[in-house]
Amino acid sequence: MNNLTNKLSNRLQAVTLPVKHIQAGNNDRTVFDPASLNELADSIREHGVIQPITVNQVGKDKYEIIAGERRHRATILAGLETIPAIIKHLDQRAASALMLAENVARADLDPIDEANAYQKRINQGWTIEELAASVGKSKIKIQFRLKLLLLRDDLQSLVRSGNLLIGYAHIISDAGLDINRQMLAFKTLRENPRPTLGWFRSIVNKYLEQQNTISLFDTSNLLVLIQETIKAEVINPPHPATTIPPFEGRSAKEIIKNQIDFWTSAAGDWQSIGKTFKKQEC
């Protein structure tokens, strides 16, 4: 047992490598914040690289990064010529699996890079089941991440920056909206100061229904029609100042009941879009 422990320990022991012998390879991470890199470089100048990077040896004095490209970049910024590294000797698939597991486990890998990492491996022949086993996530979660790649490019950028929260992004991408209706849905979301996921799902469903039923119309006229319809139906529910309740029923009691139901429904609509003061007025 002691011999086995020693062998494993030696296999994982870090060595010092020249940074010029290390290359990034096909990393899953594509976004590196310059300010954050500079902060890390300052820390490395003062304390050194505390956690070794992991590399795969691909030739004599040639290594590709599996985990730690950010540390490698910051080390170069810090002006250092060497970096501690753990060397692996893996084939392409095993290296790709380890890189995926390392990157997905880190909280700072943005959802779009994560989705692209999955898609890249699917293009290489991986199955959803193999991806799920490699990263320890459910197949459903991986499939939802993959659907983010159906978003238009500007919405993907908003997801990366955190300006489009992942829950709302998943609702848009899962619906199968075309790129014009995706933007209309986002604009409607942005106009609501207090949106909820349930409210936004109903908005997206309305766009999807109209996409499926009015597909033969001229696109420019259709988008105006959709935008006006959504605003009329969702952004402006009935209100006592602008709406006369229905006067329906065979008796005074039935008429009053129907009007109470009407205003109760209107109050719920105002609540769903975050305007509680309008709800109280109803």
Side-chain angles (χ1 to χ4, degrees), residues 230-250:
I230 292 295
K231 287 184 177 180
E233 292 180 356
V234 180
I235 302 302
N236 296 309
H239 186 268
T242 58
T243 305
I244 298 176
F247 197 80
E248 299 174 351
R250 289 174 294 182

Side-chain angles (χ1 to χ4, degrees), residues 16-282:
T16 300
L17 294 178
V19 293
K20 66 180 181 180
H21 291 170
I22 301 170
Q23 59 190 32
N26 190 14
N27 198 351
D28 297 321
R29 187 184 304 276
T30 62
V31 178
F32 296 87
D33 178 59
S36 177
L37 275 179
N38 284 322
E39 288 178 3
L40 181 56
D42 290 339
S43 174
I44 288 174
R45 287 189 194 98
E46 183 174 356
H47 305 291
V49 178
I50 297 175
Q51 181 182 0
I53 66 173
T54 303
V55 298
N56 192 36
Q57 186 162 11
V58 294
K60 183 179 180 181
D61 294 332
K62 186 177 180 181
Y63 307 88
E64 284 189 352
I65 298 172
I66 294 176
E69 183 177 349
R70 183 169 172 269
R71 278 165 278 160
H72 181 252
R73 290 184 178 218
T75 298
I76 295 173
L77 281 176
L80 303 184
E81 296 182 354
T82 61
I83 188 170
I86 295 172
I87 300 175
K88 301 284 187 178
H89 300 275
L90 305 172
D91 61 30
Q92 184 177 2
R93 185 180 178 88
S96 182
L98 183 55
M99 177 187 289
L100 181 65
E102 290 276 358
N103 281 332
V104 171
R106 299 182 65 85
D108 58 344
L109 183 69
D110 74 63
I112 301 301
D113 270 352
E114 183 181 347
N116 278 315
Y118 296 144
Q119 187 60 55
K120 178 171 65 178
R121 285 159 179 82
I122 287 174
N123 294 342
Q124 295 169 351
W126 291 47
T127 65
I128 297 292
E129 289 75 12
E130 288 171 331
L131 287 171
S134 179
V135 299
K137 293 182 181 292
S138 70
K139 293 187 293 184
I140 292 177
K141 184 164 186 179
I142 290 174
Q143 288 166 339
F144 266 105
R145 279 290 191 267
L146 286 166
K147 285 183 178 181
L148 292 177
L149 301 180
L150 300 176
L151 293 174
R152 47 189 289 159
D153 290 344
D154 47 4
L155 293 186
Q156 289 189 31
S157 295
L158 291 172
V159 173
R160 285 185 186 277
S161 64
N163 290 310
L164 175 55
L165 297 181
I166 193 67
Y168 298 105
H170 276 150
I171 290 173
I172 297 175
S173 63
D174 190 46
L177 296 180
D178 61 39
I179 59 173
N180 291 311
R181 290 175 180 82
Q182 286 182 20
M183 182 51 69
L184 287 176
F186 173 69
K187 288 182 177 178
T188 305
L189 172 66
R190 189 174 56 184
E191 290 170 358
N192 186 348
R194 296 175 62 187
T196 65
L197 291 176
W199 166 81
F200 188 58
R201 189 172 288 108
S202 70
I203 294 292
V204 170
N205 285 340
K206 289 180 184 293
Y207 281 120
L208 182 60
E209 289 172 7
Q210 293 176 357
Q211 175 177 303
N212 291 337
T213 57
I214 320 178
S215 59
L216 298 180
F217 288 2
D218 176 73
T219 302
S220 59
N221 293 334
L222 172 62
L223 295 184
V224 172
L225 173 63
I226 292 174
Q227 195 169 24
E228 290 177 350
T229 301
I230 292 295
K231 287 184 177 180
E233 292 180 356
V234 180
I235 302 302
N236 296 309
H239 186 268
T242 58
T243 305
I244 298 176
F247 197 80
E248 299 174 351
R250 289 174 294 182
S251 65
K253 183 177 180 179
E254 189 173 342
I255 291 171
I256 292 173
K257 179 182 181 301
N258 289 336
Q259 291 189 350
I260 291 173
D261 291 342
F262 176 82
W263 289 120
T264 300
S265 176
D269 290 340
W270 285 112
Q271 176 68 32
S272 70
I273 61 175
K275 298 187 177 180
T276 54
F277 65 97
K278 294 287 187 181
K279 171 191 173 183
Q280 297 300 325
E281 292 173 354
C282 288

